[in-house]
């Protein structure tokens, strides 16, 4: 008897059950082919191998579930690997970006080729050359290809990661940007430029990238910036999307999930700032002309009943037998307001590199403020700026923290010149109303023009002793720069002639050295 499949009445074949156990499950294409070829065969095969297919499907389902639970990855609809599609969403990852503005334009990359094609066609007609006409036809075909599609309108998701959000001045911050194509179309030519805050310098890596992105694909680029005083937000990208031929492009201003860094200036002080005798009624360090309790000897007077024995001049009593009481100069707390010149003319720089005068002035203000607080004085802050800057005089650690935050993050103290205009006379009237009668002023300005000298004189003649701390932004390497330096020097000398104290702070010396040099000049 011959073994093998037996004929069935419907034309199919009876399959030996013993041979099914070890057989492999047929591929999907095989099943589809058998179904299309003969429904009866498909039913017979399904009846016989159903248990095996069911067991295999269960095993595959169990394996897939295990992969998901173990944090594995499953292929997405594009054939790529998408990690944990069925897992719970996490907070990290690209966030959909918002388009703030969009501009569509032609790149004109094919203009020369079009001119050449038409020139070839014209020449072919004139000289009756088939070769030139054929070349023109080919050129027209390329031009048709170039203009057949429009620049795509991308849909993007962006993630931005910072290595730190509270660096110290001079530290470097690494920035990583991830851009994902969340749209349905391919982006054949995508160019992304990070909108780095203007005051931050990129020290490593370009803050841009270019590539082609299919739907669901990502691109990543990194760069490094140098931290400087202030608060900065990274919240935008400039995107250029071109069609495949490069004939059309769409420029987008894209708003992203913001990331920010805050760079606070350190809490440090400079040498003791010499102040005038005008003081508040509170005990402090400034010697006054009033006699009373203090440490600096002032005079002798006749002994009065009730005077402290510690204040009797026993040397005088031993010499002439008369009791005399020693008087000392009273030491009072000074009230000082440090005024910054933040007008656009003050943003001067000595040469092409280094800090400009306003940055140096802010650094000097911070040091002077902390020095005065350390010596027990009441200190406030103000500025000549388009925006109001005011911190009333005070003392203590909380007041110092407020001043540190203002000097580090206030938008008016930007490292870049302001766009707005400062109405100096209006600001002066507002400042004079805020100043206490006994307040002294430290005016920090590079003295770039006559207006700055006018500010110092106006405050001085209204009874507020003024000390000018002037960062020198001038050079003398060219005739023009030499003339500017001489004009500035003349303004400082005029202020000295008006009994205004001036600290001329050159770029090659420390602030403490400039203060000490000025102190020696004032004491002579």
């Amino acid at each position: 008897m011959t073994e093998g499949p037996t004929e069935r009445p419907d034309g199919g074949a009876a399959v030996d059950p013993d041979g099914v156990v070890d057989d492999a499950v047929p591929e999907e294409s095989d099943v589809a082919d058998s179904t299309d070829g003969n429904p009866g065969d498909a039913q017979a095969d399904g009846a016989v191998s159903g248990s095996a297919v069911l067991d295999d499907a269960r095993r595959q389902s169990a394996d897939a579930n295990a992969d998901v639970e173990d944090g594995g990855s499953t292929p997405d609809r594009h054939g790529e690997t998408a990690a944990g599609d069925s897992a719970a969403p996490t907070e990290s990852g690209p966030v959909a970006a918002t388009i703030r503005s969009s501009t569509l334009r032609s790149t004109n990359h094919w203009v020369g080729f079009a001119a050449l094609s038409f020139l070839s066609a014209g020449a072919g007609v004139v000289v009756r050359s088939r070769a030139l006409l054929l070349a023109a036809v080919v050129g027209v075909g390329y031009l048709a290809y170039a203009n057949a599609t429009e620049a795509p309108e991308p849909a993007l998701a962006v993630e931005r990661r910072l290595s730190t959000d509270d660096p110290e001045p001079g530290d470097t911050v690494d920035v990583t940007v991830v851009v994902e194509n969340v749209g349905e179309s391919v982006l054949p030519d995508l160019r992304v430029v990070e909108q780095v805050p203007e005051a931050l310098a990129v020290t490593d890596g370009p803050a841009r990238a270019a590539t082609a992105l299919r739907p669901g694909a990502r691109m990543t680029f990194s760069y490094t910036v140098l931290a400087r005083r202030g608060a900065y937000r990274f919240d935008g990208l400039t995107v250029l999307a071109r069609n495949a031929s490069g004939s059309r492009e769409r420029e987008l201003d894209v708003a992203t999930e913001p990331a920010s860094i805050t760079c606070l200036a350190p809490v440090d002080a400079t040498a003791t700032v010499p102040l005038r005798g005008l003081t508040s009624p509170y005990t402090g360090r400034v010697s006054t002309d009033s006699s009373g309790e203090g440490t600096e000897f002032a005079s002798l007077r006749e002994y009065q009943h009730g005077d402290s024995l510690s204040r009797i001049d026993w040397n005088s009593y031993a010499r002439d037998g008369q009791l005399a009481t020693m008087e000392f100069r009273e030491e009072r707390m000074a009230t000082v307001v440090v005024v910054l010149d933040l007008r656009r003319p003050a943003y001067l720089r000595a040469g092409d590199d280094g800090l400009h005068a306003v940055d140096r002035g802010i650094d000097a203000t911070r040091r002077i403020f902390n020095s005065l607080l350390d010596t027990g004085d009441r200190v406030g802050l103000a500025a000549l700026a388009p925006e109001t800057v005011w911190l009333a005089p005070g003392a203590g650690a909380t007041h110092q923290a407020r001043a540190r935050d203002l000097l580090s993050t206030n938008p008016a103290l930007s490292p870049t010149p302001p766009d707005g205009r400062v109405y100096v006379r209006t600001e002066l009237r507002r400042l004079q109303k805020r100043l206490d009668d006994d307040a002294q002023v430290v005016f920090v300005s590079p003295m770039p023009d006559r207006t700055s000298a006018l500010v110092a004189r106006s405050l001085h003649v209204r009874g507020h002793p003024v000390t000018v701390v002037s960062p020198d932004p001038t050079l003398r390497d060219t005739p023009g720069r030499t003339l500017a330096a001489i004009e500035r020097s003349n303004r400082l000398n005029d202020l000295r002639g008006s009994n205004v104290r001036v600290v001329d702070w050159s770029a090659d010396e420390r602030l403490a050295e400039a203060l000490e040099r000025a102190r020696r000049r004032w004491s002579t």
Side-chain angles (χ1 to χ4, degrees):
M1 185 175 181
T2 304
E3 297 181 358
T6 59
E7 294 291 337
R8 290 175 45 189
D10 58 2
V15 183
D16 184 3
D18 296 333
V20 177
V21 177
D22 297 328
D23 287 345
V25 178
E27 297 291 338
E28 291 181 6
S29 60
D30 297 337
V31 175
D33 291 342
S34 63
T35 303
D36 294 339
N38 193 331
D41 287 16
Q43 293 175 359
D45 292 342
V48 175
S49 59
S51 59
V53 174
L54 183 59
D55 292 342
D56 189 79
R58 288 172 176 171
R59 287 195 300 271
Q60 291 180 359
S61 177
D63 293 341
N65 290 336
D67 287 343
V68 173
E69 292 174 358
D70 293 340
S73 57
T74 57
D76 64 6
R77 60 186 179 89
H78 303 293
E80 296 181 340
T81 298
D85 289 341
S86 61
T90 60
E91 295 182 358
S92 61
V95 178
T98 304
I99 297 176
R100 290 186 287 220
S101 65
S102 176
T103 303
L104 183 64
R105 58 176 174 261
S106 175
T107 62
N108 296 325
H109 286 177
W110 292 79
V111 171
F113 190 83
L116 184 62
S117 298
F118 290 120
L119 181 62
S120 177
V125 171
V126 171
V127 301
R128 297 181 180 180
S129 171
R130 293 183 178 179
L132 290 177
L133 290 174
L134 180 60
V137 171
V138 173
V140 171
Y142 275 105
L143 290 176
Y145 157 74
N147 294 278
T149 58
E150 187 58 274
E153 187 168 356
L156 303 175
V158 180
E159 178 187 10
R160 186 182 286 105
R161 297 190 292 267
L162 306 177
S163 59
T164 179
D165 58 0
D166 56 349
E168 295 290 333
D171 289 351
T172 57
V173 180
D174 297 327
V175 184
T176 301
V177 181
V178 180
V179 180
E180 179 180 355
N181 180 8
V182 295
E184 298 295 332
S185 60
V186 176
L187 304 176
D189 186 353
L190 181 68
R191 307 179 185 202
V192 179
V193 181
E194 172 79 301
Q195 295 177 2
V196 182
E198 183 179 358
L200 297 181
V202 178
T203 60
D204 186 25
R208 62 179 64 88
T211 188
L213 280 183
R214 62 182 179 273
R218 296 181 180 182
M219 62 182 292
T220 302
F221 63 93
S222 301
Y223 63 96
T224 302
V225 295
L226 183 66
R228 63 186 303 182
R229 171 196 53 80
Y232 307 96
R233 281 168 58 92
F234 301 77
D235 58 1
L237 296 173
T238 299
V239 177
L240 285 176
R242 293 179 176 175
N243 57 0
S245 63
S247 62
R248 301 280 288 174
E249 71 177 11
R250 192 183 302 272
E251 181 177 348
L252 306 174
D253 180 15
V254 177
T256 65
E257 188 75 10
S260 61
I261 61 174
T262 302
C263 183
L264 298 179
V267 181
D268 52 3
T270 184
T272 302
V273 181
L275 298 175
R276 300 292 185 93
L278 188 61
T279 58
S280 68
Y282 305 103
T283 302
R285 69 177 177 95
V286 180
S287 299
T288 67
D289 294 332
S290 303
S291 299
E293 300 292 337
T295 58
E296 182 182 352
F297 176 77
S299 61
L300 287 175
R301 63 169 175 81
E302 183 179 354
Y303 173 79
Q304 296 178 1
H305 179 71
D307 287 344
S308 173
L309 295 179
S310 62
R311 294 177 57 190
I312 295 177
D313 185 2
W314 296 107
N315 292 329
S316 176
Y317 177 76
R319 185 172 56 252
D320 53 22
Q322 298 292 326
L323 289 176
T325 301
M326 294 182 291
E327 292 281 358
F328 298 90
R329 295 185 185 277
E330 290 187 341
E331 294 181 344
R332 299 285 181 86
M333 176 188 295
T335 299
V336 184
V337 176
V338 185
V339 181
L340 266 165
D341 187 357
L342 301 179
R343 298 173 300 123
R344 192 176 187 87
Y347 282 78
L348 301 175
R349 191 191 312 269
D352 297 329
D353 300 324
L355 299 176
H356 51 63
V358 170
D359 265 339
R360 293 180 60 204
I362 293 173
D363 180 69
T365 299
R366 172 176 55 84
R367 295 174 183 272
I368 291 172
F369 186 95
N370 292 328
S371 176
L372 293 173
L373 278 186
D374 290 345
T375 52
D377 298 310
R378 299 172 64 247
V379 197
L381 293 173
L384 298 177
E387 302 177 21
T388 301
V389 177
W390 173 252
L391 179 64
T398 301
H399 187 67
Q400 186 176 41
R402 291 195 188 101
R404 183 189 185 195
D405 184 70
L406 185 151
L407 291 172
S408 298
T409 63
N410 193 295
L413 280 71
S414 170
T416 56
D419 296 327
R421 181 179 177 183
V422 180
Y423 297 92
V424 176
R425 296 186 183 276
T426 302
E427 291 298 322
L428 268 177
R429 287 195 295 268
R430 183 180 294 118
L431 177 61
Q432 289 164 3
K433 291 179 180 179
R434 288 171 170 169
L435 291 176
D436 295 338
D437 293 339
D438 58 357
Q440 302 187 40
V441 174
V442 176
F443 184 42
V444 183
S445 170
M447 306 302 293
D449 50 22
R450 290 181 297 177
T451 301
S452 52
L454 173 65
V455 171
R457 285 198 186 93
S458 298
L459 293 171
H460 185 73
V461 298
R462 283 169 173 76
H464 302 288
V466 176
T467 300
V468 173
V469 177
S470 182
D472 185 2
T474 62
L475 292 175
R476 296 175 181 263
D477 54 346
T478 64
R481 290 178 174 177
T482 301
L483 179 60
I486 293 174
E487 291 177 348
R488 174 181 174 275
S489 179
N490 290 337
R491 284 191 289 272
L492 296 182
N493 289 332
D494 290 343
L495 287 176
R496 292 188 180 103
S498 302
N499 199 27
V500 175
R501 287 181 172 180
V502 176
V503 180
D504 191 4
W505 177 27
S506 64
D508 57 354
E509 69 177 341
R510 296 184 301 111
L511 178 60
E513 295 172 350
L515 288 172
E516 182 59 31
R517 177 164 48 82
R519 187 204 307 274
R520 290 196 300 267
R521 184 173 63 250
W522 297 334
S523 61
T524 56

